[in-house]
Amino acid sequence: IAFDTGADRISALCVSEAACRTFTSAKTLLRELAPGRLPWHKHLEVAKASSAEAFLNQQPAELLEGGKTVDFDSFCGSASVVIVHSTPGGNDVGILTALAAKLAPGTILLTIGVDGVGGSPCVLGLMPLLKGPLELPLGSDELMLKIPLNIFAVAPAAVHIARWVPSLDGLRSAIESSASGRDDPPADGGADAQAAAVADAIAGRSVTGEAA
């Protein structure tokens, strides 16, 4: 990601000693064999936490380099793309639910190796961007092993939708225009009266924050 994308800040969380050692060894090797391969303006940080769930619940994690502690909001709360790898014995669904509540609407979230979460609309507060998971090959073709990749956008809460209704006057006009164009307007009061009632109901729900 650091080499091949336009991301200027990459923050990673490891929850096992083995993963932390792998990162430290890889970065050391990179510095020795290819100095300057990672551009100076790209920031790559990795922090160690006892678990992803604890980190999401505001338990601090420790940076592998520098020893400073960071919390979720400062470390990755403003991320535009978040990647979640499934971990053996981990609570993947709980982690995704917590991320959906913490990340800003519109944040892209990719899950790798997480089964049973794709294909349902607005599952866990996440909007699927794929009809179903992509099956990525794992290892050689002869092994026929695959791992699922799902891509979501964090869905806005109802209050955000209500807040950004562009114009209730424009909404009323659009409904009235649509209804008045019908070939068989209702006899009880006409299309305009019915359309106005519908627009009033929508406007009322929007103002009270009940839009869905």
Side-chain angles (χ1 to χ4, degrees):
I1 293 173
F3 295 153
D4 300 327
T5 74
D8 56 7
R9 181 183 175 193
I10 301 96
S11 303
L13 185 74
C14 60
V15 296
S16 72
E17 293 294 340
C20 292
R21 286 195 301 270
T22 298
F23 168 78
T24 303
S25 300
K27 197 168 184 182
T28 300
L29 193 63
L30 177 66
R31 286 171 175 164
E32 293 175 352
L33 299 181
R37 177 68 175 85
L38 187 65
W40 65 268
H41 59 85
K42 293 198 173 188
H43 302 279
L44 176 58
E45 296 180 314
V46 176
K48 171 71 168 64
S50 58
S51 70
E53 294 91 333
F55 187 60
L56 286 165
N57 287 325
Q58 298 303 323
Q59 180 177 316
E62 183 178 349
L63 292 177
L64 297 188
E65 297 179 323
K68 292 173 54 180
T69 58
V70 292
D71 60 15
F72 176 86
D73 293 335
S74 63
F75 192 57
C76 52
S78 61
S80 53
V81 178
V82 175
I83 303 173
V84 176
H85 292 264
S86 180
T87 55
N91 181 11
D92 294 332
V93 173
I95 290 170
L96 295 179
T97 302
L99 284 172
K102 283 179 170 291
L103 295 171
T107 302
I108 301 300
L109 195 151
L110 292 82
T111 67
I112 299 176
V114 180
D115 289 313
V117 295
S120 299
C122 296
V123 62
L124 309 171
L126 302 173
M127 187 184 313
L129 301 183
L130 300 175
K131 189 174 183 180
L134 295 176
E135 298 293 335
L136 304 180
L138 192 62
S140 64
D141 294 338
E142 290 78 10
L143 294 176
M144 299 182 65
L145 296 177
K146 295 185 178 181
I147 188 169
L149 166 70
N150 285 288
I151 305 178
F152 301 92
V154 176
V159 65
H160 293 124
I161 297 175
R163 189 180 302 161
W164 294 108
V165 171
S167 168
L168 296 181
D169 291 335
L171 182 63
R172 180 191 297 272
S173 300
I175 294 174
E176 290 176 350
S177 175
S178 175
S180 61
R182 291 176 50 182
D183 294 333
D184 53 344
D188 53 348
D192 290 343
Q194 187 180 41
V198 173
D200 286 340
I202 295 175
R205 288 179 61 82
S206 299
V207 169
T208 58
E210 296 178 358

